[in-house]
Amino acid sequence: MQKCSHCQQKFTLGQVFKSFWCNYKTILCANCKTQYNHTTKNKTLGGISAALGVIFGSLAWALIELDKSTKIVILLVVTILFTLLFSVFSSYFFTFERVDVKNHA
Ligand SMILES: [Zn+2]
């Protein structure tokens, strides 16, 4: 996980994960309150995680032979589960860029 470039405080997985699920919300360093934005790379990784979740959901749909209503539940559960799983995994590769407050006025 990336460290704060100002105070070397490490971002936690929970912090990164929560920010990701809040539509790539700006991360605040827990120690010095420096703000960080998600990079384009994170958004790409997030998109891939969701795509993989959908692919696994479709696979479950194709492979499981049950009645349609049960399959819909399985499809949803598998898609959500795998999207979460892949997004936790990709959170480890997320990078952030510091928001320069001075140039932001
Ligand atoms: Zn900091």
Side-chain angles (χ1 to χ4, degrees), residues 4-9 29-34 36:
C4 174
S5 61
H6 185 245
C7 69
Q8 306 304 311
Q9 166 89 28
C29 170
N31 187 45
C32 70
K33 310 293 175 212
T34 304
Y36 289 87

Side-chain angles (χ1 to χ4, degrees), residues 20-38:
F20 167 69
W21 283 102
C22 291
N23 196 27
Y24 305 102
K25 204 178 155 202
T26 305
I27 281 193
L28 269 183
C29 170
N31 187 45
C32 70
K33 310 293 175 212
T34 304
Q35 290 184 46
Y36 289 87
N37 279 332
H38 284 260

Side-chain angles (χ1 to χ4, degrees), residues 10-62:
K10 256 189 169 183
F11 297 142
T12 65
L13 177 64
Q15 206 180 1
V16 171
F17 192 64
K18 203 176 130 195
S19 142
F20 167 69
W21 283 102
C22 291
N23 196 27
Y24 305 102
K25 204 178 155 202
T26 305
I27 281 193
L28 269 183
C29 170
N31 187 45
C32 70
K33 310 293 175 212
T34 304
Q35 290 184 46
Y36 289 87
N37 279 332
H38 284 260
T39 58
T40 317
K41 181 184 150 192
N42 304 4
K43 296 182 183 176
T44 310
L45 285 170
I48 292 169
S49 302
L52 284 171
V54 171
I55 289 168
F56 276 84
S58 318
L59 273 177
W61 177 271

Side-chain angles (χ1 to χ4, degrees), residues 1 3 11 19-21 23 27 31 39 44 49-50 62-64 71-72 74 76 80 82 85 92 99:
M1 209 62 73
K3 282 179 188 166
F11 297 142
S19 142
F20 167 69
W21 283 102
N23 196 27
I27 281 193
N31 187 45
T39 58
T44 310
S49 302
L63 296 173
I64 295 164
K71 274 176 84 169
I72 289 170
I74 292 173
L76 284 175
I80 293 165
F82 275 93
L85 195 79
Y92 285 101
V99 179

Side-chain angles (χ1 to χ4, degrees), residues 51-92:
L52 284 171
V54 171
I55 289 168
F56 276 84
S58 318
L59 273 177
W61 177 271
L63 296 173
I64 295 164
E65 285 184 36
L66 285 166
D67 60 289
K68 229 172 188 169
S69 53
T70 316
K71 274 176 84 169
I72 289 170
V73 176
I74 292 173
L75 171 76
L76 284 175
V77 171
V78 169
T79 303
I80 293 165
L81 216 74
F82 275 93
T83 305
L84 282 172
L85 195 79
F86 287 120
S87 58
V88 169
F89 182 70
S90 56
S91 292
Y92 285 101

